Amino acid sequence: MAGDSLFSANNPSMEPLASRMRPRTLDEYIGQEHILGKGRLLRRAIQIDQLSSVIFYGPPGTGKTTLARVIANHTKSHFSTLNAVLAGVKDIRAEIDEAKERRDHYGMRTILFVDEVHRWNKSQQDALLPWVENGTFILIGATTENPFFEVNAALVSRSRIFQLKKLSDENLRDIALQAVNDRERGYGKYDVEFEDGALEHLIKVSSGDARSLLNALELAVETTPDVFPPDEGERIYISREIAEESIQQKAVLYDKEGD
């Protein structure tokens, strides 16, 4: 299917750290407590597999695609994915046909995750509308743009909107330590230590973006030993200098005057 490769892992050891460390369950998901905290509507809907159409919007690295993956792991529905940058009306039609067949022949629901849904034009978004309306699809859209301006009003009116916020420094610290301590997907097999201020620098410059943090952490950890991977239990010491070299200051932190 057109978008199934979004969540595939043919060779996990070759995946970037940010991809390997994607949460698989709600309990592994860090941040966005305002929509996923205990007792919150979205968390309850995911847990009992009764999700209606939703649109997630927020800055890059806040966990929109990750949350879709968690939903995929929780649901008994068929889960399909499309990226709006790569997929056109032909791909939408193919997904519609397959979803109708699942519903009519097997009584199975289909959840369709559309990443960067704002990139579709009006006619592409319109092509989904009747099938969302009649329940052939449950739509999960993800966008960095405000959906009230960038997504069809008809689709928005049929979806519940959830805003994901920039992750807090505490969230980012927990995500970094999760990666450092995980023996299977992260660096738990090694003795990773940080000089005072090194991890804090990575967190500060990541500015709420978990992907940016994990990319920098990966660069710092994997370029520090002479050979990676080193022997199990080997000490990997991340100095402040290494941390500074491993992450670039984000341009968005500055205005055009440089203040």
Side-chain angles (χ1 to χ4, degrees), residues 148-174:
F148 291 104
F149 297 105
E150 301 294 337
V151 179
N152 254 9
L155 269 182
V156 168
S157 70
R158 289 159 178 79
S159 306
R160 187 174 290 273
I161 310 298
F162 291 98
Q163 182 177 7
L164 280 71
K165 300 176 181 178
K166 283 174 57 174
L167 296 171
S168 69
D169 287 356
E170 183 180 352
N171 292 153
L172 292 180
R173 176 179 288 278
D174 289 343

Side-chain angles (χ1 to χ4, degrees), residues 134-154:
N134 69 14
T136 301
F137 284 124
I138 295 167
L139 173 68
I140 301 178
T143 174
T144 56
E145 307 297 323
N146 188 326
F148 291 104
F149 297 105
E150 301 294 337
V151 179
N152 254 9

Side-chain angles (χ1 to χ4, degrees), residues 26-54:
L26 282 170
D27 289 337
E28 289 181 355
Y29 192 96
I30 294 171
Q32 311 305 339
E33 290 86 356
H34 64 292
I35 58 173
L36 285 173
K38 300 290 185 183
R40 293 287 185 177
L41 172 66
L42 181 58
R43 187 183 189 94
R44 297 199 315 269
I46 295 170
Q47 286 175 325
I48 65 173
D49 197 13
Q50 289 297 324
L51 195 70
S52 58
S53 290
V54 297

Side-chain angles (χ1 to χ4, degrees), residues 14 19 29 52 86 113 135 160 176 198 229 252:
M14 299 297 291
S19 178
Y29 192 96
S52 58
L86 305 174
F113 173 64
R160 187 174 290 273
V252 294

